[in-house]
């Protein structure tokens, strides 16, 4: 993408844009248990929207309400402007890929994929062609005569994906679509998903555990916890501007420290913490003296064996406690004087001559970060 | 070699011996485990079958037992084997027998279909009901087995008789003036068979449907299939093993049923079980009775073989 995104790429910023899916105050209770708690969300035509959250936070339940398998306890869902309250699943303009795949065990791969097209009374020749094309896409053309029991887990997942994709519905709901695939096939399928979405303009709602997948795929992400939306935004917004400790910690990793605001100006904030004084170069309308948290991503911390030339904020010193070598990067666990551990990741730009790191165990190191790197969190 | 290493050696050799004994024992167990069902079949199925088959190729005589021996020794010490197939020819040529076989099959097939039509929705309902209701309903299905079968058939006689509960009720309600004749008709036999064998249809169907993944119905609906279509394209094919098992469990015993046609059908409904009983007890013609039983067996073995074939194919596919 070059330059500023256009309005059509960010419809959620456009006041006049009409959302394709409108979720209004939706709550779902199972007995006393609240699985989805008062969720409001607008999703726009052509978006690839990711629902991200830990196990049991209500992602599948929300998806099932969109597909029509669960009725909201309260609230309303509109798809394409139509209230879905009384629309049965078989009349909704949606297709869902089930987390359990739900393939028909008595049908071959081919018949499974063709099932949906048959319901729409698509001519037989066209069914054959479309099934063939989609099976080619998911690399299963050699398996079309097999029954689901004769496939591996990843192959079944691809059949389920093909079966949902082949109908090209207005709204595709994918529940953990790529979880069982190996890395290479997953990346390939991610790419294909993005491609299909661009070509056909289908709106996707994708549930995933995998934040990297959510980052690469989606136009926007909603981070869920205990049935509620913690934050909704673009991958960059969620990563660089988390609003809460939960989001900062859930997406990527972060060193989070508690602190007190000592100075709050229009263009900067100073916070006193265990990590020393932290200077943040953007204002935040918070009362001085109030309790806040500061999150710093491990890759935004510089590591050096030389002390900084002049003393100031955003500095700390400690000892290397542990090193994790990840190939392209290394994670350093730095123990400060007050025994707090700070994670720092650094790219391994230089191939070490000897088989040890330049910075190694028990080394005394100095930490520093830019004034723009620290993120102020109010909850 | 020191003292200790020697004793270690003896320990290891004794454990080896122990292991060998265990292995022998295990192999012995395996043989026993296979032997038990084998012996069971031999004693309680094959032996009686061969005895009946033997009697079916004998001739009736007034003696005890009332049939000729298959193997006889003449005075000069020559063994003679007598196999008489007249009984089979007699059964096949006399239209009474063939028409009774056909009538039996007609009644058992119709009853099986009725059981399926009534039992299928019941089984489906039980599977769909809540955990407590499910337990109660299954209990209700099994409950009749706790009272005598004969008693339940007599109860139906009391219900269906001309002066029985149903007729009295209808007359007192003013719906009819004269009692409707139900007892001693084919209708009564159908009622008896369908009632008696219903659990044998419902239970295998229930067991089969319980395993069915509810997400499949959702997946079908999601792909645009209406409930009726989903039933015929997804639910019914997947419950076919249960349908076949239930149908056979009803069809096979119903074909040879004796008590129900005798008590509820009176002399008006002829089923092969009654013929068999009459030949055996009233005419004391054991050879013909045995031949009737053998022919019936073959009529029943045929659908069994079909079922086996189907089962074999289904397991192969899995
Ligand atoms: N039919 C149901 N009856 C009772 N509780 C349910 C039902 N379905 C879901 N729940 C509960 O609702 C909560 C949310 O479930 P859901 O399946 O939406 O989680 P999820 O976010 O999809 O989790 P995962 O990532 O593990 O798939 C869970 O605690 C679950 O136990
Ligand atoms: Mg889920």
């Amino acid at each position: 993408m070059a330059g500023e995104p256009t309005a059509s790429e960010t419809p959620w910023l456009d006041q006049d844009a009409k959302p394709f899916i409108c979720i209004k105050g939706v709550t779902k209770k199972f007995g006393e248990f609240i699985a989805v708690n008062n969720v409001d969300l607008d999703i726009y035509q052509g978006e690839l929207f990711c629902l991200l959250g830990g196990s049991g936070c209500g992602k599948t339940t929300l998806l099932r309400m969109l597909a029509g398998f669960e009725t909201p306890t309260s609230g309303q869902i509109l798809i394409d402007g139509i209230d879905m309250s009384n629309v049965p699943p078989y009349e909704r303009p949606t297709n869902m890929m089930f987390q359990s795949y739900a393939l028909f065990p008595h049908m071959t791969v081919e018949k499974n994929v063709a099932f949906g097209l048959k319901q729409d009374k698509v001519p037989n020749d066209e069914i054959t062609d479309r099934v063939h094309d989609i099976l080619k896409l998911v690399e299963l053309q050699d398996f079309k005569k097999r029954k689901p029991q004769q496939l591996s887990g990843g192959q079944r997942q691809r059949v389920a994906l093909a079966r949902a994709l082949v109908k090209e519905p207005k709204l595709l709901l994918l529940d953990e679509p790529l979880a069982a695939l190996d890395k290479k096939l997953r990346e390939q399928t991610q790419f294909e998903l993005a491609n299909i979405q661009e070509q056909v303009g289908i709106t996707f709602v994708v549930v995933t555990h995998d934040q990297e997948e959510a980052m690469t795929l989606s136009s926007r992400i909603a981070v869920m916890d205990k049935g509620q939306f913690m934050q909704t935004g673009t991958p960059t917004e969620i990563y660089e501007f988390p609003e809460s400790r939960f989001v900062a910690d859930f997406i990527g990793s972060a060193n989070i420290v508690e602190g007190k605001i000592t100075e709050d100006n229009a263009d900067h904030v100073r916070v006193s913490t265990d990590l020393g004084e932290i200077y943040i170069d953007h204002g935040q309308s918070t009362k001085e003296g109030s309790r806040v948290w500061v999150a710093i991503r491990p890759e935004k911390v510089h590591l050096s064996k030389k002390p900084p030339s002049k003393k100031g904020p955003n500095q700390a010193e400690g000892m290397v406690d542990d090193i994790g070598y990840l190939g392209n990067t290394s994670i350093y666990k730095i123990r400060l004087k007050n025994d707090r551990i700070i994670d720092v990741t650094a790219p391994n730009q230089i191939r070490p001559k000897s088989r040890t790191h330049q910075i190694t165990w028990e080394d005394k190191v100095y930490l520093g970060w830019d004034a723009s790197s620290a993120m102020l969190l109010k909850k | 070699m020191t003292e200790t290493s020697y004793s270690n050696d003896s320990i290891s050799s004794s454990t080896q011996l122990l292991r060998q004994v265990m292995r022998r024992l295990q192999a012995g167990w395996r043989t026993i485990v296979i032997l038990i069902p084998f012996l069971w079949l031999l004693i309680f199925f094959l032996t009686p079958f061969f005895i009946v088959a033997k009697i079916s190729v004998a001739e009736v005589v007034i003696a005890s037992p009332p049939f000729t021996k298959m193997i006889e020794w003449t005075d000069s010490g020559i063994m003679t084997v007598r196999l008489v197939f007249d009984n089979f020819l007699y059964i096949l040529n006399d239209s009474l027998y063939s028409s009774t076989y056909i009538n039996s099959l007609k009644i058992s097939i119709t009853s099986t279909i009725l059981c399926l039509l009534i039992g299928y929705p019941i089984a489906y309902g039980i599977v769909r009901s809540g955990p407590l209701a499910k337990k109660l309903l299954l209990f209700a299905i099994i409950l009749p087995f706790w009272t005598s079968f004969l008693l339940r058939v007599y109860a139906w006689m009391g219900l269906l008789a001309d002066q029985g509960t149903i007729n009295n009720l209808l007359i007192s309600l003013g719906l009819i003036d004269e009692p409707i004749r139900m007892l001693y008709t084919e209708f009564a036999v159908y009622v008896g068979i369908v009632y008696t064998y219903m659990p044998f249809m419902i239970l295998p169907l229930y067991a089969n449907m319980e395993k069915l993944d509810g997400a499949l119905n959702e997946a079908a609906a999601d792909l645009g299939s209406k409930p009726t279509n989903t039933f015929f394209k997804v639910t019914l094919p997947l419950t076919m093993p249960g349908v076949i098992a239930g149908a056979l469990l009803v069809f096979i015993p119903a074909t040879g049923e004796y008590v129900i046609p005798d008590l509820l059908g009176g002399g008006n409904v002829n089923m092969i079980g009654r013929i068999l009983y009459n030949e055996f007890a009233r005419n004391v013609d054991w050879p013909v009775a045995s031949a009737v039983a053998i022919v019936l067996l073959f009529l029943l073995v045929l659908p069994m073989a079909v079922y086996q074939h189907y089962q074999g194919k289904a397991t192969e596919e899995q």
Side-chain angles (χ1 to χ4, degrees), chain A residues 161-302:
Chain A
L161 184 61
R163 190 176 68 176
L165 275 176
V166 79
K167 285 195 77 177
E168 294 178 4
K170 287 195 210 163
L171 173 59
L172 248 177
L173 307 167
L174 308 178
D175 200 346
E176 310 258 357
L178 311 174
L181 303 186
D182 59 63
K183 192 161 184 272
K184 205 165 149 249
L185 195 57
R186 181 159 68 220
E187 277 167 6
Q188 201 175 325
T189 319
Q190 276 174 9
F191 181 73
E192 287 299 344
L193 272 183
N195 246 353
I196 292 170
Q197 189 237 359
E198 260 169 40
Q199 283 170 16
V200 196
I202 300 178
T203 308
F204 282 66
V205 178
V206 182
V207 164
T208 177
H209 267 117
D210 181 348
Q211 37 166 302
E212 210 174 301
E213 185 172 299
M215 291 293 196
T216 46
L217 273 181
S218 47
S219 58
R220 280 190 302 156
I221 297 173
V223 181
M224 280 184 85
D225 184 35
K226 297 190 188 110
Q228 279 176 315
F229 278 10
M230 303 306 289
Q231 191 173 349
T232 308
T234 62
T236 323
E237 279 166 3
I238 298 271
Y239 190 78
E240 303 290 354
F241 304 97
E243 286 165 1
S244 59
R245 278 175 292 161
F246 179 85
V247 175
D249 199 40
F250 190 82
I251 308 288
S253 49
N255 298 296
I256 299 176
V257 291
E258 200 181 322
K260 258 203 184 82
I261 296 210
T262 52
E263 194 183 326
D264 188 8
N265 275 338
D267 66 341
H268 71 267
V269 184
R270 277 179 204 275
V271 187
S272 114
T273 69
D274 291 2
L275 255 179
E277 185 177 55
I278 296 178
Y279 177 90
I280 302 172
D281 71 352
H282 53 85
Q284 191 92 20
S285 46
T286 327
K287 276 207 296 282
E288 269 173 33
S290 64
R291 198 166 77 131
V292 292
W293 290 268
V294 177
I296 306 168
R297 301 259 178 224
E299 76 276 8
K300 302 229 159 79
V301 183
H302 324 297

Side-chain angles (χ1 to χ4, degrees), chain B residues 116 120 205 208 234-246 307 310:
Chain B
L116 182 63
Y120 198 97
L205 274 175
N208 183 258
V234 178
T235 313
L236 192 58
L238 287 174
T239 47
M240 224 40 208
V243 170
I244 288 173
Y307 177 62
Y310 184 90

Side-chain angles (χ1 to χ4, degrees), chain A residues 69-89:
Chain A
F69 303 128
E70 307 280 2
T71 28
T73 311
S74 62
Q76 200 186 23
I77 293 174
L78 293 115
I79 297 177
D80 214 1
I82 302 163
D83 181 6
M84 288 286 130
S85 308
N86 296 314
V87 182

